Structure formats: structure tokens, C-alpha cells
Amino acid sequence: MLPVETAVRLKRNSAGLIPVVVQDISTKDVLMLAWADDEALRRTFSTRQATYWSRSRGEYWVKGETSGNTQYVREVRLDCDADAILYLVEQRGPACHSGLNSCFDSEKLLTDDTAG
Amino acid sequence: MLPVETAVRLKRNSAGLIPVVVQDISTKDVLMLAWADDEALRRTFSTRQATYWSRSRGEYWVKGETSGNTQYVREVRLDCDADAILYLVEQRGPACHSGLNSCFDSEKLLTDDTAG
């Protein structure tokens, strides 16, 4: 579970949420950015199934509960400012609801000018 | 520069900011999470030097301007919901002000239960 001393230090936004960067522990691809409150963190820590707070639906959301594309949380890191969290996960299937591997796979705003 | 059609779609928070996940393009380490408004994005796109909005200082912040630990932005991706951005950067020196490679290197809240 979430240690009390950590919970005290976490810097949440005005809605009580903290951003969670989700990275595939095998490929190191950044899969998505989601949000968690204390209860979502508590559920994630106790089950190791990535659980978030859906801001659009206003409810807890076990990633993959419907699609089967679950995230087993192998490691959780806190950043130096205590205002962002990183999950290292084993991703089953594609992480994005679009069917793409990562939610960041859909669109490049700026392309590599040093490639090729 | 930031394409108008992208700027229109971006989902900013109530302060006009969007979270930016920063990943080292070589090691694929997640280095930090920062925030940008439209002007910070515009500066980043035109200079390729990662520029953020510092919420604590209330000012634009060219990463590494003081420390020399700059981030050259090789690629920018938008996520499927248009509410988070990923920078793939060439990081010079350590990304974290603590001297660590990544801002997520300082503290593990949950350790790998399958290792070893």
C-alpha cells in the first residue's frame, strides 16, 4: 500500500490528482499519461493492476478491464518534486484504445530533423 | 511552429497548460514531466530547445539555460486524446537538478516483485 510518509509528500493538483506516466518495462516505450488520486494509487499498489481516475467519466478505471489489455505494474517511481509518478508495466496487448501500441503513436507534431 | 489545426485541438488544463513527458531518444529513459503553454510549445518548435512553463516560478524556462544540461528536441508526439505531449530529446548531462540522470531516479515507491 501507499506509505503514509509518501502520501503526505505527494503534490496533487486542485482535483486531488497526480499525473502518471506509463512506460512499458520491456520496450521502454512511453505508453500513455493518465491520472490517479490516492484511492487509485492504493488500488494499484495492492493489486498491481494499473488503476486510474478517469477525468472524462468521473470514475475509477482499471486499465484493460473491458478490453483485456491490462497493465501489470512492476515498479513505481516518484519524481524529485513529488508531483509526477512513473509506472513501469507489463502491457498486455496494445495500450491505446485505438489499437496502437502506445497512445503517443498516433501523431507526430515535429519530426526528427537529424534522421536519414 | 505549432500548426494551427493542432493548436485548436490541444486540450489544455484550466491554466492553459499541457503536460509534457520527456524521454531520452537514445536510452529511452523517461527523464521528467514538465508543463507547456502555447508560447512554450511555439518556442520549443522554433528553436528545438525544450522550453517549459515553470509553475513554481511563473515564467518560461529553457531547460538547461543555467545548468547547461539542455534538451535538443528531436521529435514531438501528441497522444490520442490530444491532452498530453511526448518530447524525444537528446539530453546533455543529467536531466534532474539533483544531478541524477532522470527526475524519476530518486525514489521507488513500489519495487519489482518479479526480479531476481
Side-chain angles (χ1 to χ4, degrees), chain B residues 53-65:
Chain B
W53 175 257
S54 169
R55 298 177 302 167
S56 56
R57 298 195 302 271
E59 62 181 20
Y60 293 103
W61 159 49
V62 178
K63 173 68 182 166
E65 200 170 35

Side-chain angles (χ1 to χ4, degrees), chain B residues 38-54:
Chain B
D38 287 20
E39 174 61 18
L41 292 175
R42 194 193 61 72
R43 294 185 190 189
T44 300
F45 278 55
S46 62
T47 64
R48 287 193 181 252
Q49 292 299 317
T51 306
Y52 307 104
W53 175 257
S54 169

Side-chain angles (χ1 to χ4, degrees), chain A:
Chain A
M1 54 171 271
L2 192 63
V4 173
E5 60 274 21
T6 301
V8 168
R9 284 193 299 123
L10 282 187
K11 289 184 201 145
R12 305 155 187 84
N13 70 9
S14 57
L17 301 171
I18 190 163
V20 181
V21 179
V22 186
Q23 184 177 31
D24 187 306
I25 198 168
S26 304
T27 64
K28 299 191 82 173
D29 289 340
V30 174
L31 300 175
M32 52 189 266
L33 178 78
W35 293 81
D37 65 1
D38 287 21
E39 175 60 17
L41 291 175
R42 194 193 61 74
R43 294 186 191 189
T44 300
F45 278 55
S46 62
T47 64
R48 287 192 180 253
Q49 291 298 318
T51 306
Y52 307 104
W53 176 256
S54 169
R55 297 177 303 167
S56 56
R57 298 195 303 272
E59 62 181 20
Y60 293 103
W61 159 48
V62 178
K63 172 70 183 165
E65 200 170 36
T66 308
S67 65
N69 299 330
T70 51
Q71 293 172 340
Y72 182 83
V73 179
R74 291 265 300 273
E75 212 177 288
V76 177
R77 297 184 189 180
L78 181 64
D79 83 339
C80 56
D81 291 332
D83 62 3
I85 285 177
L86 177 67
Y87 284 178
L88 295 167
V89 306
E90 286 176 22
Q91 173 69 51
R92 174 182 290 193
C96 187
H97 71 282
S98 67
L100 294 169
N101 169 55
S102 160
C103 292
F104 291 98
D105 276 351
S106 50
E107 185 171 355
K108 288 186 187 183
L109 297 183
L110 192 65
T111 54
D112 191 345
D113 65 345
T114 64

Side-chain angles (χ1 to χ4, degrees), chain B residues 4-30:
Chain B
V4 173
E5 60 274 20
T6 301
V8 168
R9 285 192 301 120
L10 282 188
K11 289 184 202 146
R12 304 154 186 87
N13 70 9
S14 58
L17 301 172
I18 189 163
V20 180
V21 180
V22 186
Q23 184 178 30
D24 187 306
I25 198 167
S26 304
T27 65
K28 299 190 80 174
D29 289 339
V30 175

Side-chain angles (χ1 to χ4, degrees), chain B residues 94-106:
Chain B
C96 187
H97 71 283
S98 67
L100 293 169
N101 170 55
S102 160
C103 292
F104 291 99
D105 276 350
S106 50

